[in-house]
Amino acid sequence: MKKVFATAAVALTACLATTGIVAASDAAWPSAAVQFSVPAKAGGVTDIYTRYVQAALQEDVGGTYSTVNYDTPAVAYQTVVAATDANTLLFQHMSLVTGYVTGSLAFDPTTEYRVAGVPADMGTQAVIVGPDAPYSTWDELVAYCKEHPGDVSCAIATNGSTHFIFGMAQQKCDIELNMVECASEADKLTNVAGGIIDLANCSLGNALQYEEAGKIKVLGVVGSEKVEGYDQWEPIPDIAWTSPMFVFASKDVSDEELEAINAALKTVSENEAFIEGVTSIGGTASWYSVEDSQKMFDEAVKTCTEIAEGLGIYGLG
């Protein structure tokens, strides 16, 4: 993993001037030391993305930043709920949304947070089955499930993203899966390869390694498009799951401050080392306006609500 980021190509003030934001706002960000709250242990994927952002900001924008990891996600969430300025931000992916719609959060992120931006998409996943499975494509799996409802066991993390991914598959394809708790990627790969669990999702790199070793078959990749470098695998549009990395700010942050944070994230998206770093772990650097970032979050809440209702897990806590 790269630790050193390239020297800045564009300073924040230049970016603000060219985008016209300086004329629209007198807000300066950062105005003090900034804390990035991460609801996961150090070394995890959310932590890695956050530290890539931190390094790029330090190079391109300047200021003082720190990434703080919380083993208990609820504590990380509350740091931003309690914040009254723009200098405490939360980095989190779709787990925040799935937690909200299943009722496991003690607050409402749609009213307590503002979405400052989406600096990266965390990439897609491979859908895998055992090497001796009687299906080799997604369509063949769907047909098998229709003939054998509930027979195909599927690895999930209850109320987590994988639960929603395969919940979406059930609803879109009108099939019934036997969902079993198996959250870690290592366990999913071992159990699918050993014939203990029939179906799972995993990272593309691990899927390729296990498929080349003859331990699994890959039915395709989540989403509607092929993935560069993995062109041999077909997309699975029935599972249109996205993985944005959201940056959340306090509800008390002003419009001007939110735009200033968003402009800083735009410089991050153009940092060559940031792009290289997120690409190396299967993601894609991105930038969306405040308005578009909020729309992405709202759409994620809507989609996950529909899936949770279909699974019977909406608001259960």
Side-chain angles (χ1 to χ4, degrees), residues 183-221:
S184 83
E185 180 144 324
D187 288 344
K188 286 189 287 187
L189 287 162
T190 300
N191 283 309
V192 170
I196 300 170
I197 294 177
D198 299 315
L199 176 68
N201 65 314
C202 71
S203 64
L204 301 184
N206 277 334
L208 181 61
Q209 179 181 345
Y210 270 67
E211 185 178 59
E212 288 179 342
K215 296 179 179 180
I216 63 166
K217 290 191 290 189
V218 176
L219 301 187
V221 295

Side-chain angles (χ1 to χ4, degrees), residues 268-307:
V268 170
S269 72
E270 298 166 348
N271 182 292
E272 291 185 5
F274 176 78
I275 295 170
E276 181 180 347
V278 300
T279 300
S280 72
I281 55 175
T284 305
S286 66
W287 176 80
Y288 296 91
S289 68
V290 168
E291 180 181 4
D292 287 342
S293 298
Q294 184 65 55
K295 286 180 179 178
M296 289 178 67
F297 180 66
D298 293 342
E299 186 61 33
V301 171
K302 178 183 176 182
T303 298
C304 287
T305 296
E306 293 171 351
I307 297 172

Side-chain angles (χ1 to χ4, degrees), residues 29 31-33 80 82-89 249-250 252-253 257 261:
W29 188 89
S31 60
V80 179
T84 58
D85 58 39
N87 299 313
T88 302
L89 303 176
S250 163
D252 295 322
V253 169
E257 289 171 320
I261 297 168

